[in-house]
Amino acid sequence: MTLSKSYATVLICLLACLGGCNERDARPQISNARIVLPPPGMGMAAGYFELSNPGRSPLRLRSVGSAVFSSVEMHETLSENGLSQMREMKEAEVPPGGSLRFEPGGKHLMLMGGPGSPEAEEAYTMTLDIVDANGNTQRVEAHFKVEHADNTHAH
């Protein structure tokens, strides 16, 4: 009888988990996060990363923020009629089980009003606001490794 109660308890827990605990436990993952600082006096920095969605519902990246940069905007580079244009994105969707890449020549972060000195930290923390299918927002912090566009000040 003890064995059957244990079996029943395990079965109930498994069924409950299949009904939704995986979705709650499936937190978005951020990888390859880096900021490329321009040479001194050259203006804006760029941010790149990959956001993975291990869940079963789409996620929306609504915004990215930073205490170091006065403004962070999501942009996308598009090619139209042979011309490359950059457009601001209000949000970006991450499909279930998929990922979203911010990389050179595509989606990227424009980071304005950041450190004016080439002597930057090795990494900066950025906060991503991610909205799930139910409209709930979770704030995910990520450490972005700093790289220098001219590589003369690389750490």
Side-chain angles (χ1 to χ4, degrees):
M1 185 166 202
T2 305
L3 181 60
S4 64
K5 282 185 180 180
S6 296
Y7 178 74
T9 302
V10 169
L11 185 58
I12 289 169
C13 287
L14 285 173
L15 290 173
C17 197
L18 288 173
C21 79
N22 285 338
E23 196 67 20
R24 285 190 304 271
D25 294 341
R27 292 189 47 84
Q29 302 295 314
I30 300 162
S31 58
N32 303 318
R34 68 190 197 283
I35 293 171
V36 179
L37 295 179
M42 294 299 290
M44 294 179 250
Y48 308 108
F49 61 97
E50 184 171 349
L51 176 60
S52 299
N53 176 5
R56 295 179 297 196
S57 301
L59 297 174
R60 287 175 308 187
L61 175 60
R62 175 122 341 125
S63 65
V64 180
S66 168
V68 174
F69 297 93
S70 62
S71 178
V72 178
E73 295 177 358
M74 297 186 294
H75 284 227
E76 183 171 24
T77 302
L78 303 170
S79 182
E80 293 179 9
N81 300 324
L83 297 174
S84 187
Q85 297 181 1
M86 189 169 52
R87 293 193 182 145
E88 185 175 0
M89 300 171 15
K90 295 299 179 195
E91 63 182 27
E93 185 168 308
V94 189
S99 62
L100 174 67
R101 290 186 182 170
F102 279 60
E103 56 193 357
K107 293 174 179 63
H108 57 278
L109 300 176
M110 294 301 298
L111 310 166
M112 288 136 317
S117 165
E119 298 305 318
E121 299 294 322
E122 289 185 19
Y124 292 121
T125 300
M126 307 277 280
T127 303
L128 287 74
D129 286 344
I130 300 170
V131 181
D132 66 19
N134 297 320
N136 300 315
T137 301
Q138 59 180 296
R139 301 193 103 182
V140 179
E141 286 191 352
H143 299 288
F144 281 65
K145 181 180 135 194
V146 172
E147 298 175 356
H148 294 269
D150 65 358
N151 287 327
T152 61
H153 299 97
H155 289 225

